[in-house]
Amino acid sequence: MSHRPVVLLVAPTGAESEGYRGYCLRSVAAAYDVVLITQEEPSWEVPYIRDCVVVPDPTDQSQLDQAGQALAERWNLAGVLTWTEWYLVPVARLAHRLGLSANPVEAVLACRDKAAARQLFDRHQVPSAISCSVRSLGEAQAAAEQIGFPVVVKPAAHAASVGVVRADDAEQLTTAYRQAAAAAAQGKESTDVLVEEYLDGPEISVECVTRHGSTTVVAVTRKTVGMAPHFEELAHCVDAADELRETVAPVARAAITALGVTDGVSHIEMRLVDGRPRLIEVNGRLGGDMIGHLVRLATGIDLTRAAADIACGRTPALTPTRSSAAAVKLLYPTTSGTVTRLRFHGTQPWLDTVYFQRRPGDEVLLPADGGDTFTARIGYLVATGNTGPQARDRAEEAARGLTVHVRPRTGTVRREAGA
């Protein structure tokens, strides 16, 4: 009989879940007994969990509550945790109904609804983008004229840059609005579309841990985005010695306070405009794209473990135990089509991970052809280094060892080295 605390995790299963969140489950399971609510029978998760309830849709509050109550009757739950964007609000409600620690539901809703977040940022004088919430193309056109081109058009409640498009003129705005509106229609917290000021400058994220309203800024992630007019995330890098952390920390803390976040891990996206941080959004969860893994490689701080500790009423360990850097390069083809071959050549002691989420025969669809992150990406690789530039250069070097063949829609075969 285990004497470890039991944490209830709500998370999706599947191969891609293992590729991107496997390190999270392994980290939590090293210190806690994990019981799981998920949408299909677990596979790779089985060695790391003690119990599981499968529900068709974990975003359905009644299904989630029923499953959570069943597990609460079988186990003495110490906390509830999710790192999945779509589950944040229902999981917060479940935690409160079970009498367990969680952020106020209103704070989680504000994180999920970017329009509500912008209003709170304005009220608390947190620097962010000028933003208008719209529900028609006509309203979007009026907002863009008021703000001034270029603008960014995005769903109010989505994630992974899905439906986020830059528009430089009225013609582009029409296309951008249609794409954003299609993505916004899938939102549960809001179906609105936002038209926002384009923040011109480098993009970063700030990885934070908050307990009892006190926030520690753990790391800064330097980001590379591309595939304009979309904002596809192409690479991330964390350097434990990044001096930018002190510059952006006050704005990150102010954003968390404005939203009413009291506990947990936050992933805060910003742009540096003329060297000054401006808020894009606050995500009330651990960052995706292996960012938590990069933070651990660079600093020794385990953000996933910190999230579980806070959920279970424990004090997280936030003292760095190393000072280095790590980078992830996210792999995409240069054309939409059918993957016919994937191969990686060579290895290095600084190469931490190479992961393919596609296999020969799989279709890939880039944003330019109507796809998004979930349809376009082939995989990723992670490299380490003594400094951020070294880790980034090593990631690029490793990517040159990739061979990817994609058969474009035209029927010809294109060879892509370095994805």
Side-chain angles (χ1 to χ4, degrees):
M1 184 72 176
S2 172
H3 297 288
R4 304 192 307 173
V6 180
V7 63
L8 167 55
L9 172 66
V10 185
T13 56
E16 282 193 26
S17 176
E18 181 180 16
Y20 284 93
R21 293 299 194 185
Y23 78 95
C24 297
L25 179 55
R26 287 188 285 271
S27 172
V28 175
Y32 293 90
D33 287 346
V34 180
V35 296
L36 178 68
I37 296 176
T38 190
Q39 85 289 0
E40 60 185 37
E41 289 294 333
S43 53
W44 66 270
E45 302 90 349
V46 170
Y48 305 105
I49 63 176
R50 297 292 303 277
D51 198 353
C52 179
V53 174
V54 175
V55 298
D57 181 9
T59 68
D60 182 287
Q61 194 69 57
S62 62
Q63 293 181 31
L64 185 64
D65 288 350
Q66 185 175 2
Q69 186 60 48
L71 287 169
E73 291 172 359
R74 298 203 290 262
W75 301 91
N76 181 22
L77 299 179
V80 180
L81 175 67
T82 187
W83 42 69
T84 304
E85 181 73 19
W86 328 113
Y87 300 168
L88 289 173
V89 173
V91 166
R93 289 183 172 134
L94 171 63
H96 286 290
R97 288 168 185 174
L98 294 176
L100 299 171
S101 175
N103 274 309
V105 173
E106 295 77 9
V108 183
L109 282 166
C111 290
R112 285 289 298 130
D113 184 347
K114 298 176 180 65
R118 289 277 186 249
Q119 293 174 2
L120 289 168
F121 294 155
D122 288 345
R123 186 181 308 163
H124 291 266
Q125 298 182 321
V126 181
S128 70
I130 300 169
S131 178
C132 293
S133 181
V134 302
R135 297 190 65 84
S136 70
L137 177 58
E139 290 182 4
Q141 291 168 334
E145 290 175 4
Q146 180 181 1
I147 294 170
F149 289 102
V151 295
V152 177
V153 189
K154 64 174 67 172
H158 218 293
S161 300
V162 174
V164 183
V165 188
R166 172 175 164 164
D168 292 340
D169 54 39
E171 182 178 354
Q172 292 181 7
L173 179 68
T174 300
T175 301
Y177 176 80
R178 288 171 180 164
Q179 293 179 17
Q186 304 169 31
K188 288 185 176 291
E189 287 77 33
S190 173
T191 56
D192 285 1
V193 171
L194 302 183
V195 178
E196 298 191 339
E197 168 192 14
Y198 172 67
L199 301 177
D200 191 4
E203 185 166 336
I204 65 170
S205 63
V206 186
E207 319 312 329
C208 298
V209 178
T210 304
R211 186 166 189 259
H212 299 333
S214 177
T215 296
T216 300
V217 176
V218 172
V220 170
T221 305
R222 305 265 185 164
K223 306 165 81 70
T224 303
V225 298
M227 299 191 190
H230 304 275
F231 294 84
E232 202 66 27
E233 298 190 339
L234 306 180
H236 309 297
C237 182
V238 175
D239 187 338
D242 198 326
E243 295 179 353
L244 187 59
R245 185 175 59 173
E246 297 305 315
T247 301
V248 302
V251 175
R253 292 191 181 100
I256 286 173
T257 299
L259 295 177
V261 172
T262 59
D263 294 279
V265 173
S266 300
H267 170 70
I268 304 176
E269 297 180 0
M270 304 180 183
R271 282 209 171 202
L272 303 176
V273 181
D274 297 326
R276 298 177 180 176
R278 302 272 298 278
L279 258 295
I280 298 175
E281 63 189 46
V282 174
N283 300 280
R285 54 164 171 82
L286 181 72
D289 289 346
M290 303 300 290
I291 286 175
H293 185 57
L294 300 186
V295 171
R296 188 172 185 180
L297 288 173
T299 71
I301 297 172
D302 188 338
L303 289 176
T304 312
R305 173 69 180 273
D309 289 342
I310 292 170
C312 295
R314 294 179 162 187
T315 301
L318 301 178
T319 301
T321 59
R322 67 184 69 155
S323 183
S324 58
V328 60
K329 181 173 176 61
L330 304 161
L331 307 173
Y332 296 84
T334 57
T335 184
S336 299
T338 304
V339 177
T340 59
R341 188 181 182 193
L342 289 173
R343 184 179 177 187
F344 177 71
H345 313 268
T347 185
Q348 295 287 348
W350 42 257
L351 184 61
D352 177 81
T353 311
V354 177
Y355 171 72
F356 290 134
Q357 64 200 71
R358 306 293 177 197
R359 298 290 182 270
D362 288 349
E363 298 292 320
V364 286
L365 187 66
L366 293 170
D369 299 316
D372 54 38
T373 300
F374 304 108
T375 65
R377 192 177 294 174
I378 288 176
Y380 64 81
L381 55 84
V382 175
T384 59
N386 294 321
T387 66
Q390 185 182 57
R392 285 194 296 268
D393 289 346
R394 286 175 169 177
E396 292 295 335
E397 178 184 340
R400 290 192 286 272
L402 291 169
T403 298
V404 181
H405 288 208
V406 174
R407 182 186 302 114
R409 293 175 170 182
T410 57
T412 60
V413 175
R414 180 180 303 180
R415 180 186 183 280
E416 302 159 28

